[in-house]
Amino acid sequence: MEKEKKASKRKHDSFFKYIYSIPQNTKALLQLAQRRTPALRKMLSNVNMESLEPIPESFSTVGERGEADLAFKAKSLKGGPDAFVGILLEHKSVRENDTLSQIYHYVFEVMVNKSNSDFKWLPTKAIIIYNGKSHWNPVEEFKKKGYEQFNGKDLPFECVMVSLANILDSDCSGSNNPVAAIGLLVMKHAYDPDGLKSAGKIIKELLDKLDNNARATLVKKIELYLKWYVDKTLIKEMIMAFRSIGERMGFVSIADAERKAKAAGLRKGMKKGLEEGLKKGIEEGIEKGIKKGIEKGIEKGRKNSEKMFKLWVQRVSKKLNVPEKDLLALKP
């Protein structure tokens, strides 16, 4: 039984790491979580989340590599351009009494600031991401039961508990990061078949924002993950709903076809617009050229006529021995 429990937990962890090892996905997850967790908003208020980057080989010195989750560092908004903080995401799917002790260990084993010779470890903001069946908050329990044993009556690191159950499904709808939102919804409802079915429409809409390959890969990951927690019949129904008929048959999906059609339409429209613009430009150019040519011709003809008239006056003046001015005076 204990062996099955550990195997089940590892499936949670592997899916969690697959989605949120990517900084922009973690950023999106924490943005969604902040809506329903004021303590998290306060914790991250002085962190530049745009600078989030994974700590490489983050758990190489930690014996329980399979137990630990994700570590990042980010620039502080208040500590100067070179000041960083560590962000430790610790995922939990079941109650564990030693969670805070684990985090304490990770803080000093993982959050090593190798780029700073003066300050050897990163001040850490630990975030527990919980998707278990029942309510649990080890931070609250610490404050109620054990904090009086420590100087300052507080943890030696910042720590906030985020329960995915508190995040509304509707918060995820329309997310600019479909992968992060889908990961949240799937993990939130891993133990709740009815909730998962209810969230199915939102998940489908989010999946439709992905290209064919990305969607197929993520759907497969969801399938492998959920088989540990949800009835296989329900999984099959949902996976079939997530995949378009075209995708299941190996054809281009409707959503992909629409995206390609839109792209093709845009290219065709741009080409047509360019052709019409060039044609209009040429036509206008020809019209302007003809008009200008006529104007120049008339002007040249007028000047040439004046010249010819002056020569005629000169010839007549000499022939008749009449001053040119007298002849010009006769001009109507």
Side-chain angles (χ1 to χ4, degrees):
M1 186 70 179
E2 185 65 25
K3 193 174 182 180
E4 289 181 5
K5 180 179 177 183
K6 287 183 178 179
S8 176
K9 181 184 184 302
R10 283 198 294 274
K11 292 301 176 183
H12 277 294
D13 283 347
S14 60
F15 184 75
F16 181 78
K17 290 176 184 177
Y18 171 74
I19 299 290
Y20 300 111
S21 60
I22 300 171
Q24 59 262 37
N25 291 354
T26 285
K27 176 189 167 188
L29 169 68
L30 297 179
Q31 285 176 333
L32 288 168
Q34 286 181 68
R35 297 185 186 183
R36 309 295 166 182
T37 314
L40 184 64
R41 284 201 300 273
K42 183 178 179 181
M43 172 192 273
L44 298 178
S45 63
N46 64 349
V47 177
N48 179 2
M49 294 301 290
E50 298 296 331
S51 66
L52 198 68
E53 61 178 279
I55 295 177
E57 303 295 332
S58 55
F59 301 107
S60 59
T61 61
V62 179
E64 310 94 330
R65 183 182 176 92
E67 301 297 321
D69 290 298
L70 300 170
F72 302 86
K73 70 175 183 177
K75 289 184 178 181
S76 168
L77 292 173
K78 297 183 180 179
D82 298 323
F84 283 85
V85 296
I87 296 179
L88 180 66
L89 259 63
E90 178 63 15
H91 166 253
K92 295 295 177 187
S93 56
V94 294
R95 300 169 65 99
E96 292 184 12
N97 294 331
D98 64 341
T99 295
L100 298 182
S101 297
Q102 289 177 25
I103 294 173
Y104 181 84
H105 178 54
Y106 301 154
V107 166
F108 294 103
E109 290 291 335
V110 176
M111 293 300 180
V112 179
N113 189 2
K114 295 179 180 178
S115 63
N116 193 329
S117 59
D118 298 323
F119 194 51
K120 293 293 186 181
W121 60 276
L122 293 166
T124 304
K125 298 175 182 293
I127 304 167
I128 302 170
I129 306 294
Y130 176 63
N131 72 317
K133 297 179 181 180
S134 59
H135 174 76
W136 174 60
N137 190 328
V139 179
E140 287 181 357
E141 291 178 3
F142 168 83
K143 291 180 178 179
K144 289 178 181 178
K145 297 178 181 179
Y147 72 91
E148 70 277 1
Q149 299 174 21
F150 297 85
N151 288 331
K153 297 183 179 180
D154 210 343
L155 287 166
F157 50 85
E158 285 190 83
C159 188
V160 167
M161 179 76 172
V162 172
S163 178
L164 298 187
N166 293 334
I167 302 174
L168 303 181
D169 292 358
S170 57
D171 289 343
C172 301
S173 180
S175 172
N176 292 327
N177 189 318
V179 175
I182 290 168
L184 190 160
L185 287 169
V186 171
M187 294 193 76
K188 173 186 175 182
H189 295 297
Y191 297 113
D192 176 19
D194 291 336
L196 188 61
K197 288 180 70 174
S198 179
K201 183 179 179 181
I202 296 176
I203 295 173
K204 178 67 169 64
E205 290 172 352
L206 291 167
L207 282 168
D208 284 343
K209 294 183 178 182
L210 303 176
D211 63 49
N212 205 35
N213 290 335
R215 181 172 59 252
T217 301
L218 183 53
V219 167
K220 186 62 179 177
K221 291 288 184 180
I222 293 171
E223 184 177 10
L224 292 172
Y225 166 59
L226 288 178
K227 74 176 184 179
W228 288 84
Y229 312 103
V230 180
D231 179 79
K232 290 182 180 179
T233 303
L234 173 59
I235 296 174
K236 187 175 181 181
E237 289 177 1
M238 294 198 70
I239 296 305
M240 291 292 282
F242 291 161
R243 292 174 176 166
S244 70
I245 294 174
E247 185 182 341
R248 292 198 301 274
M249 299 299 292
F251 303 124
V252 176
S253 71
I254 294 172
D256 280 343
E258 288 178 349
R259 278 190 287 270
K260 288 181 180 180
K262 286 180 181 179
L266 179 61
R267 288 194 297 270
K268 187 175 180 180
M270 290 177 66
K271 183 180 178 182
K272 187 175 181 180
L274 180 61
E275 289 174 350
E276 289 181 355
L278 286 172
K279 183 179 178 182
K280 187 175 181 181
I282 290 169
E283 289 174 350
E284 288 181 354
I286 292 172
E287 185 178 343
K288 286 181 180 179
I290 293 172
K291 184 178 180 182
K292 195 169 184 179
I294 292 172
E295 289 174 350
K296 282 187 175 181
I298 292 172
E299 178 65 17
K300 193 172 182 180
R302 184 184 64 77
K303 288 181 179 179
N304 192 50
S305 296
E306 289 179 354
K307 183 179 179 180
M308 294 297 291
F309 179 71
K310 287 180 180 179
L311 289 173
W312 178 80
V313 169
Q314 288 174 2
R315 288 197 298 273
V316 172
S317 174
K318 287 180 181 180
K319 189 172 183 179
L320 299 177
N321 196 22
V322 177
E324 288 183 22
K325 63 178 182 178
D326 292 341
L327 292 172
L328 290 172
L330 297 172
K331 182 180 179 181

